[in-house]
Amino acid sequence: MPADLRTKLGHVDLPNPILTASGCAGAGRELSRFTDVAKLGAVVTKSIMLAPRAGRPTPRMAETPSGMLNSIGLQGPGIDAFLQRDLPWLLTRGARAVVSIAGSSAGEYAELARRLSDAPGVTAIEVNISCPNVEDRGTVFACDPAAAASVIEEVRANTRYDIPVFAKLSPDVTDIVAIARSCVAAGADGLSLINTLLGMAIDTATMRPVLAGLTGGLSGPAIRPIAVRCIWQVKQALPDVPIIGMGGVRTGRDAFELILAGAAMVSVGTVIFHDPGACDRILRELGDELARSGLERLTDAIGLAQQSADAVRLGARPRMGSRD
Amino acid sequence: MTAADDAAELAPAQVAGPVLSVRQVDAYHAMAVVAPRIARGFRPGQFVAVAVGGPDTSMLLRRAFSIHDVRADHGGTVEFVFAARGPGTRWLADRRPRDVIDITGPLGRPFPLPRDCVSCLLIGGGYGSAPLFPLAGKLRARGCPVDFLLGAASADRVFGSLTARRTGRSATITTEDGSLGVRGMVTDALARVIHESRTDVIYACGPMPMLRAVTGFADRYEIPVFASVEESMACGIGVCMTCVLPVTGDDGVTRMVRSCVDGPVFRGQAVRWDDVGTIPFDALGAPGWRPPEPADPPQAQPDAQDGRRHAG
Ligand SMILES: Cc1cc2nc3c(=O)[nH]c(=O)nc-3n(C[C@H](O)[C@H](O)[C@H](O)COP(=O)(O)OP(=O)(O)OC[C@H]3O[C@@H](n4cnc5c(N)ncnc54)[C@H](O)[C@@H]3O)c2cc1C
Ligand SMILES: Cc1cc2nc3c(=O)[nH]c(=O)nc-3n(C[C@H](O)[C@H](O)[C@H](O)COP(=O)(O)O)c2cc1C
Ligand code: FES
């Protein structure tokens, strides 16, 4: 019997846990030529801002071992064009839309949340807080518990009550659990982890940085172990908070790994560039993985590795954070 | 240029296709792959994106190559031509017939075809000439005379000089080292070729500096250029935004547009060649850019108001 893949995005039921990762599937239209977007758990859109944005100069990417660096700089059409063109398209296709938002001040996030709450058909909001705060010398919201909380508070307060708000965390912090706690205390219904890690590449032939923006976000299978660790730590600290896991998922096995660590849903990002049909394939493979493991329901697998680990330790507190 | 061509756009496909042949052609490799769904929808100027390194590869990004030829045998094959430079293209060069490769296509917008019978000049730099040959076929079928101007650093890097000589009304070759044809760059021969062939429209594919120079030159003669650009691409299908360049639209607004889905063929005159690799300050959404405000009602001057009142 095929496994039951249904899962919950906050209080919203999803037919399956496979989502696209923000920035890796546009607003779904281009990808729909390779994947039936209505069959996915949801499409998570490219982070949208208030105004149109041109992004960073090119070159914007560098291939790295089992990964890539990107410095797109949140290029996008702005919320007006998104609401006029992109969101309706997703809805007519029967896709569930998780809208990712980004801003440079808490007020901008609040305004975006208001605009989305007025629009019909938004399944959830994912708040990309890996953005510099222009009101605080450009420090990244996601790197400071108080700044992260201020954004989430604003978004939650301005979002319709029935739209879940997920805070997307950066792994580039010393204590991701502290940020997670502070976002949940501020009203986040769930957490998305992880965003890219800051990296850099230098072209040894030209002896200059490869990216015009100098630094970029590292993604792809190279970062998967970091995603597993972050999800594990946060799930352990906040067992009741739903997690969208992401970072280097390439196969159904990889998705299963993130679920066992504690994710209730899994976003597929960079691997879409390699295989535009990846989401369909990973969903199929995940079903096979579950069937093989003897689990009847996906929900039974969420965080299962934590329970087994605890059982082995006979209640001993795992020493998280140590590298030995 | 016919609108019907654009409307006929077919959805691209992802195909696991067996390699039919890999040939060494001077400095390049030509690889033919059985991919009926790609061959069927193909129009000249479109490209394929090929996954390299096998199923567990650490090279995540596909490599983009212009489609050089499609044939009907084996249900439909596509051929592309590439230089083995980095690890991905070297891996590709080692494939043998019957190896299966994962290939997506046909991607991007094709070269627009003229409605009327006009004199066409096809300019290629290095492997950039590869997509020009299927274009030449279409143009000739419409009765357009086709002239070729091909250039490269050396003779072994000029792709297709024999075919150009055999099938073009004229074919001019330039090499920087003088090992074939005229010594110099394509732009050095451009003025003469344009005059002799009474060129009405230029199609060009090659390195960005060449495209920029060709467009600048053609501008002086008011000859339209359709240029196929080469920007680094991570996805090739329009979802990642890595492949952008500044292009001015018919509305006069410059936007950072994706070369994989809005290109790779652009009207040369619309591309802001000097600003490629930058975000021009006046591009839509550039830092400091503001949405155009609805025009403020002109501030009424007090004395003018007085005047009106008196007049009223
Ligand atoms: C629309 C288009 C059509 C092209 N047509 C051809 C063709 O017909 N024949 C041909 O030989 N080459 C063509 N190229 C360039 C070709 O894609 C690169 O040479 C190739 O990707 C290099 O891969 P590599 O493994 O050798 O290099 P690596 O250096 O290992 O590549 C690393 C990464 O950078 C990207 N990259 C490196 N060089 C280029 C480049 N010049 N352009 C775009 N991306 C690059 C690769 O895709 C890869 O993601 C085309 C590029 C584009 C965008
Ligand atoms: C090209 C690119 C663009 C991205 N854009 C965004 C974005 O706009 N907003 C966001 O929250 N994350 C963005 N991300 C991060 C991904 O959503 C994801 O968190 C990260 O890449 C890890 O997953 P992956 O390894 O499966 O790609 C982007 C990633 C890539 C590679
Ligand atoms: S290469 Fe990804 S959008 Fe063009």
Side-chain angles (χ1 to χ4, degrees), chain A residues 30 52-54 57-58 60-61 63 66 72 75 221 250 274-275 277, chain B residues 14 57-63 233 237 240-241 244 256 258 277 285:
Chain A
E30 289 83 1
R53 189 162 153 119
T58 55
R60 288 179 170 182
M61 69 101 174
E63 194 181 51
S66 292
I72 308 298
Q75 178 174 346
R250 182 173 202 161
H274 181 75
D275 174 9
Chain B
Q14 182 179 6
T57 182
S58 71
M59 292 181 275
L60 282 190
L61 305 180
R62 286 173 181 260
R63 272 51 174 173
M233 294 180 178
I237 57 169
C240 76
M241 311 301 286
V244 300
M256 301 305 294
R258 294 164 296 181

PDB file of all heavy atoms in Angstrom, chain A residues 30 52-54 57-58 60-61 63 66 72 75 221 250 274-275 277, chain B residues 14 57-63 233 237 240-241 244 256 258 277 285:
ATOM      1  N   GLU A  30       7.417  29.079 -15.307  1.00  0.00           N
ATOM      2  CA  GLU A  30       8.452  28.482 -16.148  1.00  0.00           C
ATOM      3  C   GLU A  30       8.632  27.007 -15.815  1.00  0.00           C
ATOM      4  O   GLU A  30       8.821  26.168 -16.689  1.00  0.00           O
ATOM      5  CB  GLU A  30       9.783  29.219 -15.982  1.00  0.00           C
ATOM      6  CG  GLU A  30       9.815  30.617 -16.583  1.00  0.00           C
ATOM      7  CD  GLU A  30       9.229  31.654 -15.642  1.00  0.00           C
ATOM      8  OE1 GLU A  30       8.812  31.290 -14.519  1.00  0.00           O
ATOM      9  OE2 GLU A  30       9.178  32.839 -16.035  1.00  0.00           O
ATOM     10  N   PRO A  52       9.714  46.947  -7.569  1.00  0.00           N
ATOM     11  CA  PRO A  52      10.533  46.152  -8.479  1.00  0.00           C
ATOM     12  C   PRO A  52      12.003  46.305  -8.100  1.00  0.00           C
ATOM     13  O   PRO A  52      12.413  47.347  -7.580  1.00  0.00           O
ATOM     14  CB  PRO A  52      10.273  46.770  -9.856  1.00  0.00           C
ATOM     15  CG  PRO A  52       9.085  47.642  -9.710  1.00  0.00           C
ATOM     16  CD  PRO A  52       8.950  47.985  -8.267  1.00  0.00           C
ATOM     17  N   ARG A  53      12.802  45.263  -8.374  1.00  0.00           N
ATOM     18  CA  ARG A  53      14.189  45.310  -7.958  1.00  0.00           C
ATOM     19  C   ARG A  53      15.060  44.662  -9.022  1.00  0.00           C
ATOM     20  O   ARG A  53      14.764  43.565  -9.492  1.00  0.00           O
ATOM     21  CB  ARG A  53      14.313  44.557  -6.652  1.00  0.00           C
ATOM     22  CG  ARG A  53      15.653  44.720  -6.008  1.00  0.00           C
ATOM     23  CD  ARG A  53      15.480  44.310  -4.571  1.00  0.00           C
ATOM     24  NE  ARG A  53      16.719  43.831  -4.023  1.00  0.00           N
ATOM     25  CZ  ARG A  53      17.293  44.417  -2.994  1.00  0.00           C
ATOM     26  NH1 ARG A  53      16.761  45.492  -2.456  1.00  0.00           N
ATOM     27  NH2 ARG A  53      18.392  43.917  -2.503  1.00  0.00           N
ATOM     28  N   ALA A  54      16.134  45.339  -9.398  1.00  0.00           N
ATOM     29  CA  ALA A  54      16.983  44.866 -10.491  1.00  0.00           C
ATOM     30  C   ALA A  54      18.021  43.851 -10.031  1.00  0.00           C
ATOM     31  O   ALA A  54      18.596  43.131 -10.844  1.00  0.00           O
ATOM     32  CB  ALA A  54      17.683  46.054 -11.164  1.00  0.00           C
ATOM     33  N   PRO A  57      24.728  42.959 -10.042  1.00  0.00           N
ATOM     34  CA  PRO A  57      25.322  42.791 -11.373  1.00  0.00           C
ATOM     35  C   PRO A  57      25.766  41.342 -11.622  1.00  0.00           C
ATOM     36  O   PRO A  57      25.870  40.547 -10.694  1.00  0.00           O
ATOM     37  CB  PRO A  57      26.533  43.737 -11.365  1.00  0.00           C
ATOM     38  CG  PRO A  57      26.662  44.268  -9.989  1.00  0.00           C
ATOM     39  CD  PRO A  57      25.496  43.835  -9.174  1.00  0.00           C
ATOM     40  N   THR A  58      26.023  41.025 -12.890  1.00  0.00           N
ATOM     41  CA  THR A  58      26.529  39.705 -13.266  1.00  0.00           C
ATOM     42  C   THR A  58      28.055  39.747 -13.319  1.00  0.00           C
ATOM     43  O   THR A  58      28.612  40.834 -13.516  1.00  0.00           O
ATOM     44  CB  THR A  58      25.972  39.297 -14.639  1.00  0.00           C
ATOM     45  OG1 THR A  58      26.290  40.320 -15.584  1.00  0.00           O
ATOM     46  CG2 THR A  58      24.482  39.099 -14.595  1.00  0.00           C
ATOM     47  N   ARG A  60      26.516  36.358 -11.642  1.00  0.00           N
ATOM     48  CA  ARG A  60      25.757  36.141 -10.427  1.00  0.00           C
ATOM     49  C   ARG A  60      25.893  34.727  -9.889  1.00  0.00           C
ATOM     50  O   ARG A  60      25.231  34.389  -8.921  1.00  0.00           O
ATOM     51  CB  ARG A  60      24.273  36.389 -10.699  1.00  0.00           C
ATOM     52  CG  ARG A  60      23.907  37.845 -10.888  1.00  0.00           C
ATOM     53  CD  ARG A  60      22.418  37.947 -11.183  1.00  0.00           C
ATOM     54  NE  ARG A  60      21.974  39.341 -11.137  1.00  0.00           N
ATOM     55  CZ  ARG A  60      20.725  39.719 -11.317  1.00  0.00           C
ATOM     56  NH1 ARG A  60      19.807  38.801 -11.570  1.00  0.00           N
ATOM     57  NH2 ARG A  60      20.387  40.995 -11.253  1.00  0.00           N
ATOM     58  N   MET A  61      26.655  33.891 -10.572  1.00  0.00           N
ATOM     59  CA  MET A  61      26.741  32.531 -10.042  1.00  0.00           C
ATOM     60  C   MET A  61      28.109  31.921 -10.288  1.00  0.00           C
ATOM     61  O   MET A  61      28.851  32.347 -11.166  1.00  0.00           O
ATOM     62  CB  MET A  61      25.654  31.648 -10.653  1.00  0.00           C
ATOM     63  CG  MET A  61      25.846  31.352 -12.126  1.00  0.00           C
ATOM     64  SD  MET A  61      26.532  29.717 -12.372  1.00  0.00           S
ATOM     65  CE  MET A  61      26.475  29.561 -14.159  1.00  0.00           C
ATOM     66  N   GLU A  63      29.742  27.796 -10.065  1.00  0.00           N
ATOM     67  CA  GLU A  63      29.544  26.397  -9.691  1.00  0.00           C
ATOM     68  C   GLU A  63      30.637  26.014  -8.702  1.00  0.00           C
ATOM     69  O   GLU A  63      31.791  26.396  -8.876  1.00  0.00           O
ATOM     70  CB  GLU A  63      29.619  25.509 -10.933  1.00  0.00           C
ATOM     71  CG  GLU A  63      29.096  24.112 -10.694  1.00  0.00           C
ATOM     72  CD  GLU A  63      29.196  23.242 -11.945  1.00  0.00           C
ATOM     73  OE1 GLU A  63      30.294  23.187 -12.544  1.00  0.00           O
ATOM     74  OE2 GLU A  63      28.202  22.627 -12.312  1.00  0.00           O
ATOM     75  N   SER A  66      29.534  20.098  -5.721  1.00  0.00           N
ATOM     76  CA  SER A  66      28.184  19.709  -5.291  1.00  0.00           C
ATOM     77  C   SER A  66      27.348  20.895  -4.826  1.00  0.00           C
ATOM     78  O   SER A  66      26.524  20.769  -3.921  1.00  0.00           O
ATOM     79  CB  SER A  66      28.236  18.651  -4.170  1.00  0.00           C
ATOM     80  OG  SER A  66      28.739  17.458  -4.695  1.00  0.00           O
ATOM     81  N   ILE A  72      22.018  36.795  -6.599  1.00  0.00           N
ATOM     82  CA  ILE A  72      20.966  37.350  -7.451  1.00  0.00           C
ATOM     83  C   ILE A  72      20.571  38.732  -6.930  1.00  0.00           C
ATOM     84  O   ILE A  72      20.258  39.631  -7.707  1.00  0.00           O
ATOM     85  CB  ILE A  72      19.718  36.432  -7.446  1.00  0.00           C
ATOM     86  CG1 ILE A  72      20.099  34.979  -7.774  1.00  0.00           C
ATOM     87  CG2 ILE A  72      18.652  36.944  -8.404  1.00  0.00           C
ATOM     88  CD1 ILE A  72      20.701  34.758  -9.111  1.00  0.00           C
ATOM     89  N   GLN A  75      16.320  40.002  -7.303  1.00  0.00           N
ATOM     90  CA  GLN A  75      15.669  40.619  -8.461  1.00  0.00           C
ATOM     91  C   GLN A  75      14.214  40.144  -8.531  1.00  0.00           C
ATOM     92  O   GLN A  75      13.931  38.954  -8.393  1.00  0.00           O
ATOM     93  CB  GLN A  75      16.391  40.245  -9.762  1.00  0.00           C
ATOM     94  CG  GLN A  75      15.677  40.860 -10.971  1.00  0.00           C
ATOM     95  CD  GLN A  75      16.404  40.669 -12.284  1.00  0.00           C
ATOM     96  OE1 GLN A  75      17.567  40.295 -12.307  1.00  0.00           O
ATOM     97  NE2 GLN A  75      15.725  40.941 -13.381  1.00  0.00           N
ATOM     98  N   PRO A 221      23.658  20.148  -2.636  1.00  0.00           N
ATOM     99  CA  PRO A 221      23.971  19.003  -1.764  1.00  0.00           C
ATOM    100  C   PRO A 221      25.148  19.253  -0.818  1.00  0.00           C
ATOM    101  O   PRO A 221      25.206  18.662   0.261  1.00  0.00           O
ATOM    102  CB  PRO A 221      24.296  17.890  -2.766  1.00  0.00           C
ATOM    103  CG  PRO A 221      23.462  18.228  -3.958  1.00  0.00           C
ATOM    104  CD  PRO A 221      23.453  19.738  -4.033  1.00  0.00           C
ATOM    105  N   ARG A 250      18.332  16.209  -3.056  1.00  0.00           N
ATOM    106  CA  ARG A 250      18.487  15.779  -4.437  1.00  0.00           C
ATOM    107  C   ARG A 250      17.620  14.558  -4.750  1.00  0.00           C
ATOM    108  O   ARG A 250      17.225  14.350  -5.887  1.00  0.00           O
ATOM    109  CB  ARG A 250      19.960  15.433  -4.625  1.00  0.00           C
ATOM    110  CG  ARG A 250      20.311  15.004  -6.004  1.00  0.00           C
ATOM    111  CD  ARG A 250      21.811  14.866  -6.105  1.00  0.00           C
ATOM    112  NE  ARG A 250      22.199  14.957  -7.489  1.00  0.00           N
ATOM    113  CZ  ARG A 250      23.415  15.241  -7.896  1.00  0.00           C
ATOM    114  NH1 ARG A 250      24.382  15.440  -7.033  1.00  0.00           N
ATOM    115  NH2 ARG A 250      23.679  15.308  -9.163  1.00  0.00           N
ATOM    116  N   HIS A 274      19.482  21.434 -11.911  1.00  0.00           N
ATOM    117  CA  HIS A 274      20.104  20.254 -12.513  1.00  0.00           C
ATOM    118  C   HIS A 274      19.049  19.392 -13.194  1.00  0.00           C
ATOM    119  O   HIS A 274      19.288  18.842 -14.269  1.00  0.00           O
ATOM    120  CB  HIS A 274      20.820  19.455 -11.417  1.00  0.00           C
ATOM    121  CG  HIS A 274      21.516  18.236 -11.940  1.00  0.00           C
ATOM    122  ND1 HIS A 274      22.691  18.319 -12.637  1.00  0.00           N
ATOM    123  CD2 HIS A 274      21.202  16.934 -11.876  1.00  0.00           C
ATOM    124  CE1 HIS A 274      23.074  17.096 -12.974  1.00  0.00           C
ATOM    125  NE2 HIS A 274      22.184  16.242 -12.531  1.00  0.00           N
ATOM    126  N   ASP A 275      17.897  19.286 -12.529  1.00  0.00           N
ATOM    127  CA  ASP A 275      16.851  18.393 -13.011  1.00  0.00           C
ATOM    128  C   ASP A 275      15.504  19.086 -12.823  1.00  0.00           C
ATOM    129  O   ASP A 275      14.926  19.056 -11.746  1.00  0.00           O
ATOM    130  CB  ASP A 275      16.913  17.085 -12.195  1.00  0.00           C
ATOM    131  CG  ASP A 275      15.760  16.142 -12.542  1.00  0.00           C
ATOM    132  OD1 ASP A 275      15.026  16.423 -13.510  1.00  0.00           O
ATOM    133  OD2 ASP A 275      15.607  15.130 -11.835  1.00  0.00           O
ATOM    134  N   GLY A 277      12.713  18.291 -13.510  1.00  0.00           N
ATOM    135  CA  GLY A 277      11.650  17.373 -13.083  1.00  0.00           C
ATOM    136  C   GLY A 277      11.891  16.826 -11.686  1.00  0.00           C
ATOM    137  O   GLY A 277      11.247  15.864 -11.270  1.00  0.00           O
TER     138      GLY A 277
ATOM    139  N   GLN B  14      12.501  17.544 -21.311  1.00  0.00           N
ATOM    140  CA  GLN B  14      13.696  16.964 -20.698  1.00  0.00           C
ATOM    141  C   GLN B  14      13.782  15.528 -21.196  1.00  0.00           C
ATOM    142  O   GLN B  14      12.844  14.753 -21.038  1.00  0.00           O
ATOM    143  CB  GLN B  14      13.560  16.999 -19.179  1.00  0.00           C
ATOM    144  CG  GLN B  14      14.773  16.452 -18.450  1.00  0.00           C
ATOM    145  CD  GLN B  14      14.610  16.537 -16.934  1.00  0.00           C
ATOM    146  OE1 GLN B  14      13.547  16.904 -16.442  1.00  0.00           O
ATOM    147  NE2 GLN B  14      15.657  16.203 -16.219  1.00  0.00           N
ATOM    148  N   THR B  57      26.734  13.291 -10.126  1.00  0.00           N
ATOM    149  CA  THR B  57      27.761  14.290 -10.394  1.00  0.00           C
ATOM    150  C   THR B  57      27.826  15.370  -9.311  1.00  0.00           C
ATOM    151  O   THR B  57      26.818  15.700  -8.685  1.00  0.00           O
ATOM    152  CB  THR B  57      27.502  14.948 -11.760  1.00  0.00           C
ATOM    153  OG1 THR B  57      28.537  15.885 -12.034  1.00  0.00           O
ATOM    154  CG2 THR B  57      26.155  15.676 -11.768  1.00  0.00           C
ATOM    155  N   SER B  58      29.025  15.915  -9.114  1.00  0.00           N
ATOM    156  CA  SER B  58      29.160  17.074  -8.228  1.00  0.00           C
ATOM    157  C   SER B  58      29.024  18.365  -9.028  1.00  0.00           C
ATOM    158  O   SER B  58      29.064  19.452  -8.467  1.00  0.00           O
ATOM    159  CB  SER B  58      30.520  17.035  -7.520  1.00  0.00           C
ATOM    160  OG  SER B  58      31.540  17.316  -8.444  1.00  0.00           O
ATOM    161  N   MET B  59      28.851  18.239 -10.369  1.00  0.00           N
ATOM    162  CA  MET B  59      28.656  19.436 -11.211  1.00  0.00           C
ATOM    163  C   MET B  59      27.158  19.609 -11.407  1.00  0.00           C
ATOM    164  O   MET B  59      26.543  18.943 -12.228  1.00  0.00           O
ATOM    165  CB  MET B  59      29.354  19.248 -12.558  1.00  0.00           C
ATOM    166  CG  MET B  59      30.862  19.210 -12.460  1.00  0.00           C
ATOM    167  SD  MET B  59      31.670  19.023 -14.071  1.00  0.00           S
ATOM    168  CE  MET B  59      31.632  17.251 -14.279  1.00  0.00           C
ATOM    169  N   LEU B  60      26.575  20.514 -10.631  1.00  0.00           N
ATOM    170  CA  LEU B  60      25.111  20.601 -10.587  1.00  0.00           C
ATOM    171  C   LEU B  60      24.516  21.349 -11.765  1.00  0.00           C
ATOM    172  O   LEU B  60      23.344  21.201 -12.059  1.00  0.00           O
ATOM    173  CB  LEU B  60      24.686  21.340  -9.319  1.00  0.00           C
ATOM    174  CG  LEU B  60      24.726  20.547  -8.036  1.00  0.00           C
ATOM    175  CD1 LEU B  60      24.054  21.361  -6.948  1.00  0.00           C
ATOM    176  CD2 LEU B  60      24.017  19.215  -8.207  1.00  0.00           C
ATOM    177  N   LEU B  61      25.292  22.203 -12.396  1.00  0.00           N
ATOM    178  CA  LEU B  61      24.696  23.108 -13.379  1.00  0.00           C
ATOM    179  C   LEU B  61      24.839  22.554 -14.793  1.00  0.00           C
ATOM    180  O   LEU B  61      25.887  22.033 -15.157  1.00  0.00           O
ATOM    181  CB  LEU B  61      25.337  24.485 -13.261  1.00  0.00           C
ATOM    182  CG  LEU B  61      25.264  25.069 -11.840  1.00  0.00           C
ATOM    183  CD1 LEU B  61      25.916  26.427 -11.784  1.00  0.00           C
ATOM    184  CD2 LEU B  61      23.828  25.125 -11.347  1.00  0.00           C
ATOM    185  N   ARG B  62      23.758  22.693 -15.532  1.00  0.00           N
ATOM    186  CA  ARG B  62      23.777  22.237 -16.911  1.00  0.00           C
ATOM    187  C   ARG B  62      24.635  23.141 -17.776  1.00  0.00           C
ATOM    188  O   ARG B  62      24.782  24.319 -17.478  1.00  0.00           O
ATOM    189  CB  ARG B  62      22.345  22.208 -17.465  1.00  0.00           C
ATOM    190  CG  ARG B  62      21.539  21.066 -16.928  1.00  0.00           C
ATOM    191  CD  ARG B  62      20.095  21.125 -17.322  1.00  0.00           C
ATOM    192  NE  ARG B  62      19.428  19.979 -16.721  1.00  0.00           N
ATOM    193  CZ  ARG B  62      19.128  18.858 -17.378  1.00  0.00           C
ATOM    194  NH1 ARG B  62      19.379  18.770 -18.677  1.00  0.00           N
ATOM    195  NH2 ARG B  62      18.575  17.851 -16.754  1.00  0.00           N
ATOM    196  N   ARG B  63      25.150  22.594 -18.837  1.00  0.00           N
ATOM    197  CA  ARG B  63      25.926  23.374 -19.804  1.00  0.00           C
ATOM    198  C   ARG B  63      25.036  23.684 -21.000  1.00  0.00           C
ATOM    199  O   ARG B  63      24.363  22.791 -21.512  1.00  0.00           O
ATOM    200  CB  ARG B  63      27.157  22.576 -20.260  1.00  0.00           C
ATOM    201  CG  ARG B  63      28.405  22.751 -19.399  1.00  0.00           C
ATOM    202  CD  ARG B  63      28.195  22.548 -17.929  1.00  0.00           C
ATOM    203  NE  ARG B  63      29.476  22.602 -17.189  1.00  0.00           N
ATOM    204  CZ  ARG B  63      29.565  22.583 -15.871  1.00  0.00           C
ATOM    205  NH1 ARG B  63      28.489  22.523 -15.131  1.00  0.00           N
ATOM    206  NH2 ARG B  63      30.742  22.627 -15.283  1.00  0.00           N
ATOM    207  N   MET B 233      24.650  30.715 -17.252  1.00  0.00           N
ATOM    208  CA  MET B 233      23.296  30.286 -16.910  1.00  0.00           C
ATOM    209  C   MET B 233      23.368  29.175 -15.881  1.00  0.00           C
ATOM    210  O   MET B 233      24.145  28.244 -16.036  1.00  0.00           O
ATOM    211  CB  MET B 233      22.585  29.747 -18.151  1.00  0.00           C
ATOM    212  CG  MET B 233      22.320  30.788 -19.203  1.00  0.00           C
ATOM    213  SD  MET B 233      21.483  30.045 -20.599  1.00  0.00           S
ATOM    214  CE  MET B 233      21.278  31.525 -21.616  1.00  0.00           C
ATOM    215  N   ILE B 237      16.199  27.653 -17.823  1.00  0.00           N
ATOM    216  CA  ILE B 237      14.755  27.557 -18.050  1.00  0.00           C
ATOM    217  C   ILE B 237      13.987  28.718 -17.428  1.00  0.00           C
ATOM    218  O   ILE B 237      12.766  28.685 -17.332  1.00  0.00           O
ATOM    219  CB  ILE B 237      14.187  26.223 -17.521  1.00  0.00           C
ATOM    220  CG1 ILE B 237      14.488  26.048 -16.023  1.00  0.00           C
ATOM    221  CG2 ILE B 237      14.749  25.048 -18.316  1.00  0.00           C
ATOM    222  CD1 ILE B 237      13.734  24.886 -15.382  1.00  0.00           C
ATOM    223  N   CYS B 240      15.966  31.023 -12.261  1.00  0.00           N
ATOM    224  CA  CYS B 240      16.971  31.376 -11.253  1.00  0.00           C
ATOM    225  C   CYS B 240      17.441  32.837 -11.291  1.00  0.00           C
ATOM    226  O   CYS B 240      17.988  33.320 -10.322  1.00  0.00           O
ATOM    227  CB  CYS B 240      18.170  30.440 -11.366  1.00  0.00           C
ATOM    228  SG  CYS B 240      19.252  30.791 -12.760  1.00  0.00           S
ATOM    229  N   MET B 241      17.270  33.517 -12.408  1.00  0.00           N
ATOM    230  CA  MET B 241      17.690  34.917 -12.570  1.00  0.00           C
ATOM    231  C   MET B 241      19.209  35.130 -12.574  1.00  0.00           C
ATOM    232  O   MET B 241      19.674  36.217 -12.230  1.00  0.00           O
ATOM    233  CB  MET B 241      17.089  35.828 -11.482  1.00  0.00           C
ATOM    234  CG  MET B 241      15.619  35.699 -11.237  1.00  0.00           C
ATOM    235  SD  MET B 241      14.611  36.032 -12.673  1.00  0.00           S
ATOM    236  CE  MET B 241      14.737  37.788 -12.805  1.00  0.00           C
ATOM    237  N   VAL B 244      20.978  37.434 -16.473  1.00  0.00           N
ATOM    238  CA  VAL B 244      20.339  38.667 -16.923  1.00  0.00           C
ATOM    239  C   VAL B 244      21.315  39.650 -17.577  1.00  0.00           C
ATOM    240  O   VAL B 244      22.522  39.635 -17.324  1.00  0.00           O
ATOM    241  CB  VAL B 244      19.639  39.385 -15.752  1.00  0.00           C
ATOM    242  CG1 VAL B 244      18.577  38.489 -15.143  1.00  0.00           C
ATOM    243  CG2 VAL B 244      20.645  39.809 -14.704  1.00  0.00           C
ATOM    244  N   MET B 256      16.445  44.337 -16.482  1.00  0.00           N
ATOM    245  CA  MET B 256      17.402  43.244 -16.437  1.00  0.00           C
ATOM    246  C   MET B 256      16.634  41.984 -16.854  1.00  0.00           C
ATOM    247  O   MET B 256      15.827  41.461 -16.090  1.00  0.00           O
ATOM    248  CB  MET B 256      17.974  43.083 -15.021  1.00  0.00           C
ATOM    249  CG  MET B 256      18.693  44.316 -14.478  1.00  0.00           C
ATOM    250  SD  MET B 256      20.028  44.937 -15.545  1.00  0.00           S
ATOM    251  CE  MET B 256      21.206  43.590 -15.453  1.00  0.00           C
ATOM    252  N   ARG B 258      16.161  38.046 -18.586  1.00  0.00           N
ATOM    253  CA  ARG B 258      16.815  36.740 -18.585  1.00  0.00           C
ATOM    254  C   ARG B 258      17.165  36.331 -20.006  1.00  0.00           C
ATOM    255  O   ARG B 258      16.302  36.263 -20.874  1.00  0.00           O
ATOM    256  CB  ARG B 258      15.866  35.694 -17.989  1.00  0.00           C
ATOM    257  CG  ARG B 258      15.552  35.909 -16.529  1.00  0.00           C
ATOM    258  CD  ARG B 258      14.347  35.109 -16.124  1.00  0.00           C
ATOM    259  NE  ARG B 258      13.154  35.562 -16.849  1.00  0.00           N
ATOM    260  CZ  ARG B 258      11.937  35.051 -16.684  1.00  0.00           C
ATOM    261  NH1 ARG B 258      11.746  34.068 -15.839  1.00  0.00           N
ATOM    262  NH2 ARG B 258      10.922  35.515 -17.370  1.00  0.00           N
ATOM    263  N   GLY B 277      26.991  43.445 -17.377  1.00  0.00           N
ATOM    264  CA  GLY B 277      27.820  43.216 -16.193  1.00  0.00           C
ATOM    265  C   GLY B 277      27.622  44.272 -15.120  1.00  0.00           C
ATOM    266  O   GLY B 277      28.277  44.244 -14.085  1.00  0.00           O
ATOM    267  N   GLY B 285      14.043  49.115 -11.200  1.00  0.00           N
ATOM    268  CA  GLY B 285      14.382  48.474  -9.931  1.00  0.00           C
ATOM    269  C   GLY B 285      15.838  48.612  -9.523  1.00  0.00           C
ATOM    270  O   GLY B 285      16.266  47.955  -8.575  1.00  0.00           O
TER     271      GLY B 285
END
